[in-house]
Amino acid sequence: MSPSHRVVIAVFPDVDLLDVTGPAEVFALANRESGGRAGYEVRLAAPDAGPVRTAAGVRLVADLAFGEVGAAVDTLLVPGAVRPGPDGPVARVDEDVVEWVRATAPHARRIASVCVGAHLLAAAGLLDGRRATTHWSTAAQLAAEHPRVRVDADPIFVRSGRVWTGAGISACMDLALALVAEDHGEELALAVARQLVMYLRRQGGQSQFSVPLSRPAAARRDIDELRLFITEHLDGELSAAVLAERMCLSERHFARVFRQETGTSPAAYVEAARVEAARRLLESTDEPLERVAAATGMGSVETLHRAFRKQLDITPASYRRRFRTAS
């Protein structure tokens, strides 16, 4: 059977190796598990055909130069690359790659970025007005450089129309599984996931709670330990008084120390963590709102509604309709 899904993956110097090979393996297994009926043909495209050195030091061989790709692209997959920065990894944006992505995207049925590849899509203008994700460590960079992109650092992947964005590192395979499920149904995607010894859908996002991930580590270890405690006990009593007692500090002194270390108040931090937990339940389960509110420490549906309106400007029910990912 001739290929019906031509997947073109962009490669360039210092690209992250797994961002390329992970999705390619998923599509190859989809072909195998379907007896060839899945119809995926994966091609690597680079500024010039031939060897390309990845960030891992392993060389890939590009099948095509960018100029040879043409318009016959079903799925355009864009991985990323990073360089060291003073405060952590910084996404690299190669203008030649951006120009090629911008020119090729209109001819593709769908476009997907892997990890920090979202920065390339954003630079090409493909994420303007869209919700998108990337590796949590460069999410702040993406939001700062592209204010028209609605950056969400927690999901494993996000779909916005024909544009998909995936989170960091191994999440490239979760994204590829989702693309297989879209093309051929979840039965085939599940068969591939089994061969990879993966869950078809992971529970949670890039972390169990992205509130701790999105903030730098505190100078005080006890504050970091408290943040972890909060994420593990969202359905418990987490008032400032209770947290201050746990820290063996007066409530006033605790509030001052917590703000100094995290940049926010204890109450705001707890509410943000609870909203994120509720978001994931709404995205991945059919639990009624009463159970979502109870499981995340909101207490009541009314409190859940208020928190969602305040932080996301949307109701929980509307959020579930828009971002529900599980069947």
Side-chain angles (χ1 to χ4, degrees):
M1 180 177 290
S2 61
S4 56
H5 296 285
R6 190 183 191 217
V7 180
V8 176
I9 305 178
V11 294
F12 40 87
D14 295 323
V15 69
D16 286 331
L17 178 63
L18 186 60
D19 290 359
V20 179
T21 58
E25 184 69 17
V26 169
F27 296 129
L29 283 172
N31 285 340
R32 191 183 81 183
E33 291 298 310
S34 66
R37 291 187 298 277
Y40 289 109
E41 177 191 61
V42 177
R43 291 290 179 264
L44 305 186
D48 298 295
V52 177
R53 186 180 176 87
T54 69
V58 176
R59 285 177 172 80
L60 299 171
V61 178
D63 304 288
L64 304 164
F66 283 161
E68 299 174 323
V69 172
V73 179
D74 179 72
T75 300
L76 174 61
L77 194 64
V78 182
V82 297
R83 60 177 174 81
D87 300 313
V90 176
R92 291 179 47 190
V93 177
D94 185 310
E95 289 303 324
D96 290 337
V97 180
V98 171
E99 286 301 319
W100 177 75
V101 169
R102 184 183 291 119
T104 306
H107 307 294
R109 178 173 67 91
R110 66 185 171 199
I111 305 99
S113 67
V114 178
C115 196
V116 297
H119 293 257
L120 295 168
L121 296 193
L126 299 177
L127 299 184
D128 287 353
R130 297 182 186 274
R131 177 173 173 255
T133 193
T134 187
H135 191 281
W136 63 266
S137 66
T138 67
Q141 177 192 352
L142 182 62
E145 294 178 353
H146 301 281
R148 296 184 64 187
V149 180
R150 302 198 307 273
V151 180
D152 188 340
D154 190 51
I156 296 297
F157 59 84
V158 170
R159 179 184 184 181
S160 179
R162 70 188 187 102
V163 180
W164 299 64
T165 50
I169 315 299
S170 63
C172 65
M173 301 176 79
D174 299 82
L175 173 62
L177 284 169
L179 298 179
V180 170
E182 181 190 39
D183 294 336
H184 300 291
E186 293 204 353
E187 184 175 350
L188 178 57
L190 180 58
V192 174
R194 285 173 177 157
Q195 291 300 319
L196 292 167
V197 197
M198 288 178 61
Y199 290 109
L200 179 56
R201 289 194 179 89
R202 291 196 226 186
Q203 296 298 313
Q206 292 198 64
S207 65
Q208 286 302 303
F209 297 91
S210 67
V211 169
L213 264 186
S214 63
R215 301 181 186 277
R220 293 180 52 144
R221 182 176 178 180
D222 55 354
I223 292 293
D224 271 343
E225 290 174 349
L226 183 69
R227 290 159 70 176
L228 180 60
F229 173 83
I230 289 170
T231 65
E232 293 176 345
H233 298 84
L234 289 177
D235 58 349
E237 174 59 47
L238 296 175
S239 66
V242 168
L243 296 177
E245 182 178 357
R246 181 176 181 81
M247 292 283 292
C248 300
L249 298 173
S250 70
E251 189 172 342
R252 183 175 179 180
H253 182 49
F254 164 68
R256 183 166 60 250
V257 169
F258 192 88
R259 181 177 290 278
Q260 178 180 327
E261 294 292 325
T262 66
T264 190
S265 69
Y269 187 92
V270 169
E271 182 180 69
R274 282 172 166 161
V275 167
E276 290 197 12
R279 284 168 53 194
R280 277 188 299 281
L281 287 174
L282 293 172
E283 291 171 1
S284 60
T285 76
D286 291 317
E287 292 286 354
L289 296 185
E290 291 83 358
R291 291 187 183 176
V292 172
T296 57
M298 300 282 192
S300 69
V301 174
E302 181 181 358
T303 301
L304 181 68
H305 270 264
R306 280 201 306 269
F308 264 64
R309 282 291 193 188
K310 176 183 174 182
Q311 294 201 27
L312 305 176
D313 195 27
I314 193 173
T315 66
S318 295
Y319 184 90
R320 171 172 270 164
R321 284 195 297 271
R322 287 178 60 185
F323 301 120
R324 180 81 165 89
T325 59
S327 60

